[in-house]
Amino acid sequence: MSELTAKYSITMPRDIAEAAKARSGPHELSAHVAAAVAEQIERDNLNELIAVVEAEHGPVTDEEGQAVHDQFHQARQKQTQGGADAV
């Protein structure tokens, strides 16, 4: 994340704010909110990339998606069973 910060006033539902405060602690709420916004930006960027790729190559089929999911799952299992060098 960027080292430069600025102060903003935001409005959010009270229950969400209280849940975030409970998870982050009262003095770390800004960092918690910043991390959530950064994660949403990453997700938005990924969705934009997916849209570009699908526009060029067509949508991913369920079978293709499942195959990638299976490969990821297998790689994760190898990594956790054999250490970081096993991938």
Side-chain angles (χ1 to χ4, degrees), residues 7-79:
K7 189 169 185 163
Y8 296 94
S9 174
I10 62 169
T11 303
M12 70 174 76
R14 185 181 308 266
D15 59 334
I16 293 173
E18 292 303 320
K21 236 170 149 175
R23 290 177 186 266
S24 65
H27 303 294
E28 297 297 324
L29 181 60
S30 292
H32 192 76
V33 171
V37 171
E39 187 174 310
Q40 183 63 49
I41 290 169
E42 288 178 9
R43 215 176 1 251
D44 292 346
N45 289 342
L46 181 56
N47 286 333
E48 290 172 11
L49 177 61
I50 290 168
V52 168
V53 171
E54 286 186 338
E56 187 173 329
H57 300 286
V60 175
T61 66
D62 290 341
E63 293 80 15
E64 291 169 327
Q66 186 62 48
V68 170
H69 179 269
D70 293 346
Q71 289 173 351
F72 178 79
H73 184 70
Q74 290 171 0
R76 177 69 73 165
Q77 283 183 322
K78 285 181 185 176
Q79 185 179 29

